[in-house]
Amino acid sequence: MKHRRWLVAGILVVAAGLVAAGLLATGVVRTGPAAPSVALGAPRFVDETSSAGLVHTYDGNEDYDIGGGLAVLDCDGDGRPDVYAAGGEHPAALFRNAGATGGPLRFEPVADSGADLTMVTGAYPLDIDGDGITDLAVLRLGQTELLRGLGGCRFQRADDTWGATPTPGFGTAFSATWEGDASRPTLAFGNYLALDGSGAPTSSCAPNEVIRPDATGSGYAPPVALAPGYCALSMLFSDWDGSGRRDLRVSNDRHYYDVELGEEQLWRFEAGAAPRLYTADDGWVLLQLWGMGIASYDVTGDGYPEVYLTSQGPNTLQTLLAGPTQPTYRDMANKRGIEGTRPATGGDPLPSTAWHPEFQDVNDDGFMDLFVSKGNINVQPDFASKDPSDLYLGQPDGSYVQAVEQAGIAMFDRGRGAALVDLNLDGLPDLVEVTVGAPVRVWRNVGSGSADAPAPMGHWIGLRLRQPGGNRDAIGAIVEVRVGDTPIGRREVVVGGGHISGQLGWTTTGIGPATEAEVRVTWPDGEVGPWQRVAADGFALVERGAAPVPWTAAAGAVAP
């Protein structure tokens, strides 16, 4: 984000000259709201695991060590984020958000939700049938299931009804996108190890598969294998080159695949054509790592998303080497300070094992931050056993600084899936993290204050998109935010990535000292909307073709 620092400096120089000339005083030139220029410190996270009511533990035999995800969604239409957590060998559990705005985090378990399945490794929320009620893709060891949301936090199995039943397997990754004018999404399912005749995992990687809409656009064609598979642990549909086409990146675990052949993958998806792997002939460069999770964000501000990949040992931040003409990437994680090779604290000198990455501005200063969950797979002796998660704070020059201890979230349970999301609708992203063999951890972000007296840091805006048709949540859209002429962020709306964990709902963006911002949406079909003003410190529903509409918890449901 160096360009932002230079731009701010340039604005200050110009403004100084105008003041000297007397132009600002006479009103000839109008300045905009103050843009972010100074990074803030770490917010304080208060551990509310024991009081929040989200009582749940993910556990099981060693087959479940690479799982442990969650989904954040609004299952009852009240605008508050609810949480669905995998259980491994135990039943998964759904928790309704019962907290007050700005107050301590409170959840209530939902009995008989229809989603309390066993053998669940993780889950992703999305609206598959376009009815305005969020559905769930529930990844499982055995049979991954698609659950239709019925409203009121109730679900029923619907993949057979929709004609979109995935092949039985060891479900560990998922992503979805809408292709062309189809009313139903394209669904990609990632598998880890192949299963034997009894349904037990083998030691060989399984192929992944994709289920695409049929010729009508409203039903589904049979599943198509994405082979070879190299033990996928994360996948993400993303418009990596600005073409409007969403290709599928797959991150794979080299622990099992053939090191002569296995690698990270990028599949090209074009309407009317079979998926095709990018190869060296396309500019794709061999990359092998213990791939765990994917996070995508335009870190450099060049209009193309960088890709952060977690692993054992060094993590990598992939950026396009020479623009969008070919998928040739170079690593910039070390330069930015986010390799995360060793534990940040705790004294363990061995390499880290990283899982769920997520970009989110935790202190609302207008500079994007990065959270990475960590934890030993089990008792691997060559990797750290005391391995706390990382929290990197973004700086004006584009670098990051470690702040996990200052934030109060350093712990030594084996972290897996997570979500940085504003659970109590106060504009400060809170944290929920699944651990293996220990309770789900819940932290409330109280900013610069305390549990009894939370205090905001920077200003913020919260957005949710809506458009007509099957893709109601505008998956694939690009949301840009600026303050005056200063770009603050550019985020793609996606389903997938992370580590077996997904979110659907409000997205908050910090804007630092600014009291308002402008928002522009490039909708999934490529139509670019106008810049529209949004007031700070509140939520707005952005409907296609209309002005943003302010929303508060008292106003009722998000869905029309």
Side-chain angles (χ1 to χ4, degrees), residues 473-489:
D473 294 298
I475 305 302
I478 304 293
V479 181
E480 298 172 270
V481 178
R482 72 181 184 187
V483 173
D485 293 325
T486 303
I488 301 301

Side-chain angles (χ1 to χ4, degrees), residues 19-44:
V19 169
L23 296 179
L24 289 182
T26 61
V28 175
V29 175
R30 181 178 66 85
T31 60
S37 59
V38 177
L40 301 178
R44 182 186 176 199

Side-chain angles (χ1 to χ4, degrees), residues 262-512:
E263 61 175 324
E264 299 291 283
Q265 295 170 304
L266 184 64
W267 291 87
R268 185 179 179 95
F269 275 72
E270 290 185 284
R276 178 181 69 83
L277 265 177
Y278 285 90
T279 67
D281 292 338
D282 304 303
W284 181 251
V285 177
L286 176 73
L287 177 63
Q288 295 179 322
L289 46 80
W290 287 274
M292 308 291 197
I294 302 173
S296 181
Y297 186 76
D298 184 7
V299 174
T300 62
D302 64 356
Y304 307 103
E306 276 66 44
V307 182
Y308 188 79
L309 305 172
T310 55
S311 182
Q312 288 185 297
N315 302 315
T316 177
L317 179 65
Q318 297 279 293
T319 187
L320 285 171
L321 181 61
T325 57
Q326 56 185 15
T328 305
Y329 287 83
R330 64 179 175 88
D331 181 24
M332 56 191 300
N334 180 268
K335 180 180 179 181
R336 298 284 174 142
I338 51 177
E339 270 192 320
T341 306
R342 295 291 192 273
T345 187
D348 197 322
L350 296 176
S352 282
T353 303
W355 299 90
H356 178 85
E358 186 171 338
F359 286 103
Q360 185 58 269
D361 186 354
V362 297
N363 53 12
D364 290 335
D365 62 358
F367 299 99
M368 186 57 66
D369 310 313
L370 173 64
F371 170 81
V372 183
S373 72
K374 287 185 171 182
N376 198 297
I377 290 179
N378 195 324
V379 288
Q380 286 194 336
D382 295 332
F383 293 90
S385 59
K386 297 178 67 175
D387 198 6
S389 299
D390 290 326
L391 181 64
Y392 300 105
L393 301 183
Q395 304 299 299
D397 65 356
S399 66
Y400 292 81
V401 296
Q402 179 69 256
V404 65
E405 284 193 285
Q406 297 91 324
I409 58 174
M411 60 95 181
F412 301 118
D413 293 333
R414 291 189 289 146
R416 291 297 188 266
L420 270 172
V421 60
D422 184 7
L423 294 170
N424 61 355
L425 303 182
D426 63 353
L428 289 165
D430 309 297
L431 176 62
V432 181
E433 184 176 358
V434 176
T435 63
V436 178
V440 173
R441 300 294 291 263
V442 182
W443 285 277
R444 176 164 59 112
N445 187 340
V446 297
S448 60
S450 64
D452 296 328
M457 299 185 74
H459 295 288
W460 55 276
I461 59 173
L463 304 173
R464 187 165 187 183
L465 307 186
R466 280 281 188 266
Q467 68 171 7
N471 185 8
R472 291 170 46 83
D473 294 298
I475 305 302
I478 304 293
V479 181
E480 298 172 270
V481 178
R482 72 181 184 187
V483 173
D485 293 325
T486 303
I488 301 301
R490 183 179 185 275
R491 185 186 291 273
E492 185 177 15
V493 182
V494 297
V495 173
H499 179 69
I500 323 185
S501 300
Q503 303 174 29
L504 184 65
W506 300 109
T507 298
T508 57
T509 300
I511 56 175

Side-chain angles (χ1 to χ4, degrees), residues 8-25 29 31:
V8 171
I11 291 172
L12 293 176
V13 170
V14 173
L18 292 174
V19 169
L23 296 179
L24 289 182
V29 175
T31 60

Side-chain angles (χ1 to χ4, degrees), residues 108-242:
E108 298 173 347
V110 179
D112 302 320
S113 67
D116 51 352
L117 307 172
T118 58
M119 307 176 77
V120 174
T121 57
Y124 290 84
L126 73 163
D127 185 358
I128 295 174
D129 56 5
D131 65 355
I133 302 174
T134 302
D135 310 308
L136 280 171
V138 181
L139 306 184
R140 303 176 67 228
L141 173 51
Q143 180 61 66
T144 288
E145 297 186 15
L146 302 178
L147 304 183
R148 179 172 179 254
L150 305 176
C153 295
R154 294 291 185 270
F155 295 85
Q156 68 179 17
R157 185 174 177 182
D159 43 78
D160 287 342
T161 302
W162 290 331
T165 303
T167 304
F170 192 164
T172 51
F174 177 81
S175 190
T177 189
W178 270 257
E179 297 185 81
D181 57 0
S183 61
R184 296 290 174 91
T186 292
L187 309 169
F189 299 88
N191 291 307
Y192 197 60
L193 298 174
L195 304 182
D196 64 18
S198 68
T202 66
S203 59
S204 300
C205 295
N208 306 310
E209 69 179 14
V210 62
I211 303 179
R212 302 172 88 171
D214 60 20
T216 70
S218 57
Y220 280 100
V224 174
L226 298 178
Y230 296 130
C231 290
L233 282 176
S234 189
M235 51 177 39
L236 180 66
F237 278 111
S238 175
D239 182 3
W240 63 270
D241 60 354

